[in-house]
Amino acid sequence: MAREEVYNKLNEVFCDVFDDDSIKVNDDTTANDIEDWDSLEHINLIVAVEKKFGIKFNMGEVNNFKNVGEMVDTIIKRVN
Amino acid sequence: MNAYKFTELSIGMAESFQHTVSYDDMDSFMKLTGDINPLHCDEDFALKHNFYGRVVYGMLSASLVSTLGGVYLPGKYCLIQQIEIKFVHPVYVGDILTVTGVVKELNESVQQAVIKVEIRNQNEKKVARGKLNVGFLE
């Protein structure tokens, strides 16, 4: 799956989880850029991403993503 | 009190308990929340609006979902993250409610259990249904 395709699907997940259609994520997006991205929504986000892409993250990964770009790197590794 | 850890749960595991709603429950809830809406406090008002009597606060029924998570499933190490609930049938004082939770999802990466919840009255009528997401204390 190409990075652009991952981003298209991932952006839908972000809009859905945070109930905000104006969100546009990129490699540099972090929790500081989305007001409602707190620890609880992080859990909801991870579960939603796993379901969307049919993958599973491990516990270490979900706590250590520095930005959306790192999340996308991991998604691409899992789906390809 | 049960004390299931995340790794001790499996899909389909279930727990349930019963609670009979009393006038004391209603009065305590009213004092605690300040919800003096007459549908819950005034028998005549409730009858006039085609109910069989004072309607039990939906959130009082929903509070039993806290008990489900905190005492039964998973119990001691529960950290409630999210509750979704629909009130599908009125509850009246004296109703015997059976609260049941069934593990539907285990999300290992975030150590989260998703529990399907339903509450039925003494006539087996479903009065509320919903979903409980819980994490676990270390």
Side-chain angles (χ1 to χ4, degrees):
Chain A
M1 191 181 289
R3 198 173 186 85
E4 187 182 349
E5 190 182 350
V6 170
Y7 261 107
N8 287 339
K9 292 176 78 170
L10 187 62
N11 211 82
E12 289 174 16
V13 175
F14 270 80
C15 291
D16 187 44
V17 168
F18 296 106
D19 199 20
D20 181 352
D21 290 339
S22 71
I23 291 174
K24 295 278 180 234
V25 292
N26 58 47
D27 277 354
D28 299 324
T29 304
T30 70
N32 292 329
D33 300 311
I34 298 175
E35 185 184 6
D36 292 334
W37 190 349
D38 53 26
S39 59
L40 176 58
E41 289 297 2
H42 187 67
I43 290 170
N44 292 332
L45 177 68
I46 292 296
V47 172
V49 170
E50 288 181 334
K51 287 180 177 172
K52 185 78 170 183
F53 290 94
I55 61 171
K56 291 287 181 190
F57 296 117
N58 62 49
M59 280 174 65
E61 288 169 339
V62 301
N63 294 321
N64 290 314
F65 292 135
K66 289 191 179 67
N67 51 39
V68 170
E70 289 195 2
M71 182 188 287
V72 169
D73 291 342
T74 304
I75 293 170
I76 288 171
K77 276 186 211 156
R78 291 285 197 288
V79 295
N80 289 329
Chain B
M1 179 183 290
N2 292 327
Y4 295 113
K5 298 284 188 71
F6 178 80
T7 52
E8 294 172 322
L9 296 182
S10 57
I11 304 296
M13 273 181 74
E15 292 283 344
S16 65
F17 70 98
Q18 284 191 331
H19 179 83
T20 302
V21 183
S22 68
Y23 283 107
D24 277 351
D25 289 342
M26 293 291 281
D27 292 344
S28 296
F29 193 91
M30 183 178 66
K31 282 178 192 155
L32 187 69
T33 63
D35 184 350
I36 55 168
N37 185 284
L39 186 62
H40 308 299
C41 310
D42 183 337
E43 188 89 8
D44 291 338
F45 181 88
L47 290 169
K48 198 181 292 180
H49 288 81
N50 301 319
F51 290 94
Y52 296 121
R54 288 169 61 184
V55 177
V56 171
Y57 296 96
M59 293 305 286
L60 197 161
S61 300
S63 70
L64 298 174
V65 179
S66 177
T67 312
L68 176 72
V71 180
Y72 294 92
L73 187 66
K76 186 176 180 179
Y77 303 109
C78 175
L79 189 60
I80 291 178
Q81 296 169 337
Q82 191 169 319
I83 293 176
E84 293 174 23
I85 194 153
K86 292 181 178 175
F87 305 113
V88 295
H89 190 77
V91 175
Y92 297 100
V93 176
D95 278 358
I96 303 165
L97 302 179
T98 301
V99 184
T100 303
V102 180
V103 178
K104 298 302 286 185
E105 222 177 277
L106 291 167
N107 295 312
E108 192 171 356
S109 61
V110 287
Q111 299 284 290
Q112 179 198 59
V114 177
I115 297 165
K116 184 182 177 187
V117 179
E118 66 174 39
I119 305 177
R120 292 180 184 269
N121 67 16
Q122 66 279 5
N123 300 317
E124 292 291 315
K125 183 78 180 171
K126 194 184 288 182
V127 297
R129 62 187 167 87
K131 195 174 83 167
L132 170 66
N133 292 4
V134 298
F136 295 77
L137 299 174
E138 295 290 317

